[in-house]
Amino acid sequence: MAESVPPQAVLSASELQIAFGAKPLLKSGTIAILEGERIGLVGRNGCGKSTFLKIAAGAIAPDSGQVTLRRGLLTGYLPQDFELEEDLSVHEAVLRGASAIQALIEEYESASADSPRAAFLLERIEQLEGWTLDSRAKSLLTNLNAPGPERIIGTLSGGEKRRVALCRSLIARPDLLILDEPTNHLDTDSILWLEEFLSRYQGTCIFVTHDRYFLDRVCNRIVEIHLGGFVSYPGNYTDYLIAQAEREAVSEQTEHKRQKFLKSELEWVRRAPGARRTKSQDRVDRYFEAAAQGPPEKTGDVDLILPPPRELGNRVISLKNVAAEANGRTLFSGLTWEVPAGARVGIVGRNGSGKTTLLRILTGEQAPAAGTVEKGARSEINLIDQHRLQIDHNRTVWDEVGEGRETVKMGEETVTLRGYLRRFLFQEEQMNQLTGLLSGGERSRVLLAKILKRGGNVLLLDEPTNDLDLATLRVLEEALVRFQGTVIVVSHDRYFMNRVCTHVLAFEQDGSLGYDVGNYDEYLARKAGRQTKNATLSLTKAVTPPVAKTLRAVKMSWKEERELEGIEACIHAAEAGVSAAEMQLNDPGFYRGGAAEIAAFQGKLEEQRREVVRLYARWEELEQKKAASPPV
């Protein structure tokens, strides 16, 4: 039996160092990326994730260190800040990502047909599947819900341009894919397609994303940038959390032993006579050596505390027969909705379906095409919109967040601006730094700090998770779960929606609007149940004679009546159990348990979720039976 050939490195980096101003990002970082790996790059905002991707793509050079690429390596790169030529069509812009293949085709077409060079070029083009570029471009644009191929780049929105740029990076099927936040501005269906695409991808991929489900389903290795170096974890995101928790537990245990040693040795040093020699002096040396080591360096957490909201009235926001239009096209119509007080509502749907338009209608910024919107007398709306609210890159963090004030009102409490900025992990030297010199994630924290200090008891969030690191995301989730007001959030981050939402308002693909109690997974389960039921009904109508009128109505049994009376309480209890389990699952400390224990817990949680879905289905069944029962 032939021995398997170990994978070769497609990229290796050694002793990388790079800094922006006085802030070092990478300090002697060394990493090798092997064939077939799908690496998720994680770390705090500003740690150097995007910078390393730029180095790997050859867009910038490190201050020192060496990067080596495999000979002939074909690379595809999606940066955070990309450029597309404004006068190109979408189709032309996507094909620019395969310019190396197009150059081979052009050379082949101009070469002599019987020359050795032509034979080599033909073999290489077929190897790269170069003759299928047009069909691949069409497939990518369709599956990623990108604009039509004839649209001109200059007429597109920022989100549309990003989807085109993603298509451009994928079309050549390069040996190494380097993707910086590929899921930004993608709807859920497109994210699921991209997950499947990358899971089957024959090349190598390294990417940065805040989407934890994406990391879990695609990665076979997680690399964390920690304190200027690379720390590697085999497996997916869940494996990483378990290993990281174990590493921190070992670090804490080591620090506890060090402190215990220092305490005992300090007592001895204090009572020992001076001028010790030999063994006693060795003991003193060991004490000072241990004291000089210091505790393990830790990264801080954002202390995100939302200003306490004013109590809501009976009415939050009421919509009656609301419709919205854009560019002469009806986005939605007939929306009658009473926004529930204290709820956390997730709005989902494909790009362009009207989600952001609905937020603008709720704030009063945009009038509906039809219908009425009434805001409650005690409702104070605060919109967090990262797409349209821009930061002045020529102002400092202090000026941008403070806006001329040195204090921030937090309900009845007043805190200093310096203390408020520290809660968002801005150190003293960063407070006076221009925002234009910050990383994308750090600018997102500036934006959150700026908007959240305005308070409000109705928070509207439009894609709040973009560019936030995973630790900040967890803190934001916890803050929203504790928030006593109403939250309405547009997001394609499924993990975030499952963690935060108590209701889901869905813009379905058939143009209808669906509204469900529960988180995103529960919405999907009920949606699948409705589709199965509708398909069954359609099939029954097609093959079954219309004999329903001849059927005798069946009276509910006494047992079924009692079951219906108590089933709502059972549903509330089951949902509370799921929420409690999810809170435990999202606690990083939970992953300090064994892998078998964690897997068992996750399996139990799935059973609890299925039970919630079963109870809702049974409730609907009993209600229908009650409605069909003959009068007593």
Side-chain angles (χ1 to χ4, degrees):
M1 183 175 177
E3 293 185 3
S4 60
V5 179
Q8 302 296 309
V10 298
L11 180 149
S12 60
S14 177
E15 299 294 320
L16 293 184
Q17 294 193 35
I18 191 166
F20 284 115
K23 181 182 178 182
L25 296 181
L26 296 174
K27 298 178 287 187
S28 300
T30 297
I31 186 175
I33 299 174
L34 306 180
E35 290 176 340
E37 285 194 307
R38 298 186 296 276
I39 298 174
L41 189 63
V42 301
R44 292 303 183 97
N45 286 146
C47 71
K49 300 188 297 296
S50 295
T51 299
F52 174 68
L53 293 190
K54 291 176 183 177
I55 292 172
I60 62 172
D63 296 335
S64 64
Q66 185 174 4
V67 177
T68 304
L69 300 178
R70 190 183 68 190
R71 186 175 180 181
L73 188 74
L74 187 62
T75 301
Y77 176 42
L78 173 69
Q80 271 194 28
D81 301 318
F82 56 87
E83 291 183 3
L84 297 173
E85 294 183 47
E86 297 285 300
D87 58 342
L88 293 181
S89 70
V90 166
H91 182 75
E92 291 169 335
V94 172
L95 289 180
R96 289 293 171 93
S99 56
I101 299 176
Q102 288 181 308
L104 292 175
I105 293 173
E106 289 175 6
E107 185 181 354
Y108 171 75
E109 290 175 343
S110 61
S112 175
D114 56 354
S115 68
R117 179 64 179 169
F120 167 79
L121 289 170
L122 179 60
E123 182 181 358
R124 182 60 176 155
I125 293 167
E126 290 177 344
Q127 182 184 17
L128 296 172
E129 300 181 46
W131 305 118
T132 66
L133 285 180
D134 285 336
S135 61
R136 276 151 59 180
K138 182 179 179 180
S139 175
L140 286 169
L141 291 171
T142 300
N143 286 302
L144 292 174
N145 195 25
E150 303 306 320
R151 295 272 305 276
I152 302 301
I153 295 298
T155 67
L156 304 182
S157 67
E160 289 174 325
K161 288 179 180 178
R162 185 161 187 84
R163 294 195 291 279
V164 172
L166 177 57
C167 293
R168 182 181 64 175
S169 67
L170 298 177
I171 189 169
R173 296 178 185 170
D175 304 310
L176 175 62
L177 263 176
I178 302 171
L179 306 174
D180 199 346
E181 294 289 1
T183 62
N184 276 5
H185 302 292
L186 293 187
D187 54 51
T188 305
D189 290 341
S190 299
I191 292 173
L192 290 172
W193 180 86
L194 185 60
E195 283 178 0
E196 289 295 322
F197 178 87
L198 293 179
S199 296
R200 299 190 309 268
Y201 193 63
Q202 296 299 308
T204 304
C205 182
I206 181 169
F207 54 84
V208 172
T209 181
H210 63 268
D211 189 318
R212 287 153 286 185
Y213 283 150
F214 193 89
L215 287 167
D216 229 19
R217 294 169 180 170
V218 175
C219 294
N220 53 26
R221 181 181 169 200
I222 299 288
V223 173
E224 179 182 14
I225 298 182
H226 181 69
L227 304 178
F230 298 101
V231 184
S232 182
Y233 300 85
N236 62 11
Y237 182 66
T238 298
D239 298 323
Y240 155 72
L241 287 179
I242 295 170
Q244 187 190 48
E246 291 172 348
R247 186 190 74 179
E248 290 179 355
V250 170
S251 179
E252 289 173 5
Q253 187 178 21
T254 303
E255 174 60 11
H256 176 72
K257 289 179 179 178
R258 190 182 75 91
Q259 291 293 342
K260 187 176 180 181
F261 167 77
L262 288 174
K263 185 177 180 181
S264 63
E265 292 300 282
L266 182 59
E267 293 175 358
W268 182 87
V269 169
R270 282 174 172 169
R271 68 171 180 260
R276 288 272 188 177
R277 295 286 188 269
T278 62
K279 292 183 179 179
S280 297
Q281 185 60 45
D282 289 342
R283 190 168 179 179
V284 174
D285 291 341
R286 286 199 305 275
Y287 164 76
F288 284 112
E289 182 181 347
Q293 289 175 359
E297 189 172 347
K298 292 187 176 181
T299 52
D301 281 323
V302 174
D303 183 18
L304 205 162
I305 301 175
L306 301 178
R310 179 188 180 194
E311 186 177 356
L312 285 161
N314 293 329
R315 169 177 289 171
V316 181
I317 307 175
S318 296
L319 293 85
K320 187 173 181 180
N321 292 322
V322 168
E325 296 178 353
N327 300 320
R329 179 173 66 92
T330 298
L331 298 175
F332 59 87
S333 61
L335 175 57
T336 297
W337 181 35
E338 190 75 36
V339 177
R344 299 186 297 276
V345 183
I347 301 179
V348 300
R350 299 206 76 172
N351 290 320
S353 59
K355 303 184 299 296
T356 298
T357 300
L358 177 57
L359 291 188
R360 294 174 184 169
I361 289 173
L362 292 174
T363 62
E365 179 184 339
Q366 179 174 331
T372 59
V373 179
E374 294 184 29
K375 188 179 79 169
R378 298 177 64 84
S379 297
E380 300 168 348
I381 299 175
N382 188 358
L383 174 63
I384 300 173
D385 185 346
Q386 295 197 49
H387 303 301
R388 292 180 298 116
L389 182 58
Q390 299 298 318
I391 293 175
D392 187 343
H393 291 180
N394 295 316
R395 299 180 74 187
T396 65
V397 173
W398 180 276
D399 292 334
E400 192 67 17
V401 177
E403 297 178 298
R405 296 178 178 271
E406 296 192 359
T407 59
V408 176
K409 190 76 171 174
M410 302 286 287
E412 300 299 320
E413 179 188 2
T414 299
V415 300
T416 65
L417 179 58
R418 181 169 279 100
Y420 181 71
L421 288 172
R422 285 201 186 104
R423 290 180 174 183
F424 288 84
L425 286 187
F426 290 110
Q427 302 302 319
E428 197 75 28
E429 63 273 12
Q430 286 182 300
M431 295 179 192
N432 294 313
Q433 191 173 10
L434 294 178
T435 60
L437 300 178
L438 302 177
S439 70
E442 288 170 331
R443 287 197 293 270
S444 292
R445 291 210 309 269
V446 171
L447 191 57
L448 277 177
K450 181 177 180 179
I451 301 174
L452 289 176
K453 71 183 178 68
R454 299 175 185 172
N457 53 17
V458 182
L459 297 183
L460 308 185
L461 301 95
D462 195 358
E463 294 290 359
T465 64
N466 284 356
D467 297 325
L468 292 181
D469 61 51
L470 299 175
T472 304
L473 265 180
R474 287 196 291 268
V475 176
L476 176 61
E477 289 164 357
E478 291 163 7
L480 291 174
V481 168
R482 293 193 303 265
F483 185 64
Q484 296 300 307
T486 293
V487 176
I488 301 175
V489 55
V490 171
S491 178
H492 298 305
D493 189 322
R494 298 152 292 172
Y495 197 105
F496 180 86
M497 300 286 270
N498 278 331
R499 178 72 180 87
V500 170
C501 294
T502 59
H503 299 70
V504 172
L505 177 65
F507 289 74
E508 307 287 8
Q509 290 193 30
D510 62 2
S512 64
L513 289 164
Y515 187 57
D516 280 286
V517 176
N519 63 20
Y520 183 69
D521 277 350
E522 291 162 344
Y523 151 72
L524 287 180
R526 291 187 199 121
K527 178 183 176 183
R530 288 193 293 267
Q531 289 173 338
T532 302
K533 180 180 176 182
N534 291 339
T536 303
L537 287 173
S538 299
L539 182 62
T540 303
K541 289 177 182 177
V543 302
T544 306
V547 297
K549 291 182 180 179
T550 67
L551 295 177
R552 181 172 59 87
V554 180
K555 186 179 183 298
M556 288 184 75
S557 68
W558 179 87
K559 184 178 179 180
E560 288 173 329
E561 289 176 351
R562 301 290 79 75
E563 184 183 1
L564 180 57
E565 288 176 2
I567 198 168
E568 191 169 354
C570 292
I571 290 173
H572 288 315
E575 288 181 330
V578 169
S579 296
E582 287 176 339
M583 289 184 70
Q584 187 175 349
L585 192 64
N586 283 287
D587 180 3
F590 167 76
Y591 292 91
R592 290 175 182 158
E597 179 185 345
I598 292 167
F601 184 89
Q602 290 173 325
K604 183 180 177 182
L605 176 57
E606 288 303 316
E607 289 178 8
Q608 289 175 293
R609 286 172 173 162
R610 286 194 291 269
E611 176 63 9
V612 171
V613 174
R614 186 196 69 78
L615 286 170
Y616 269 104
R618 179 59 175 162
W619 187 16
E620 185 177 352
E621 179 185 346
L622 290 172
E623 286 286 2
Q624 289 175 348
K625 195 166 185 179
K626 179 182 177 181
S629 295
V632 179

